Amino acid sequence: MAANAPAFQRKAIIAELEKERRRLIQTSQSMNTPGASISLSRPMKEFRDNAEQQHFAAQQKAALQHAHTHSTGFFITQDSSFGNLILPVIPRLEPHS
């Protein structure tokens, strides 16, 4: 009985490998269909969006650093509907009574 165990394990392993091979073939064939390009383009779009966000953040940081270096005012980073990377901050002064 012990002599049959390795043969049985080998057959089980071969069957599992064959099943995996079929699954991989089926997956590769489905990648060649027109619908597969949509699923592949999504990660590329997300990658591009992430790269644009990083570039925007770097521009924002550089603009803020430049403003602080060359101005006596105070600036903050904030999304602006006008495309400004940084906005000046005007302090509130308490009225003298």
Side-chain angles (χ1 to χ4, degrees):
M1 190 91 170
N4 288 339
F8 177 75
Q9 289 175 344
R10 240 187 323 237
K11 287 180 182 180
I13 291 171
I14 291 171
E16 187 66 32
L17 288 172
E18 183 63 28
K19 192 185 306 181
E20 183 67 17
R21 185 180 72 79
R22 283 191 210 123
R23 187 187 66 77
L24 288 173
I25 289 171
Q26 184 180 12
T27 303
S28 68
Q29 287 173 350
S30 68
M31 294 295 244
N32 294 331
T33 61
S37 62
I38 295 170
S39 65
L40 292 176
S41 65
R42 185 178 187 114
M44 189 57 142
K45 182 183 182 311
E46 290 172 2
F47 173 76
R48 194 176 324 117
D49 290 346
N50 189 21
E52 288 175 3
Q53 287 175 347
Q54 288 177 349
H55 180 68
F56 181 75
Q59 283 182 323
Q60 200 173 37
K61 184 178 178 181
L64 184 63
Q65 189 175 26
H66 184 271
H68 281 183
T69 303
H70 299 289
S71 175
T72 57
F74 185 73
F75 299 85
I76 60 168
T77 58
Q78 183 169 345
D79 292 338
S80 166
S81 57
F82 299 104
N84 299 323
L85 298 176
I86 59 173
L87 299 174
V89 176
I90 302 171
R92 291 186 187 166
L93 301 174
E94 296 295 325
H96 296 302
S97 1

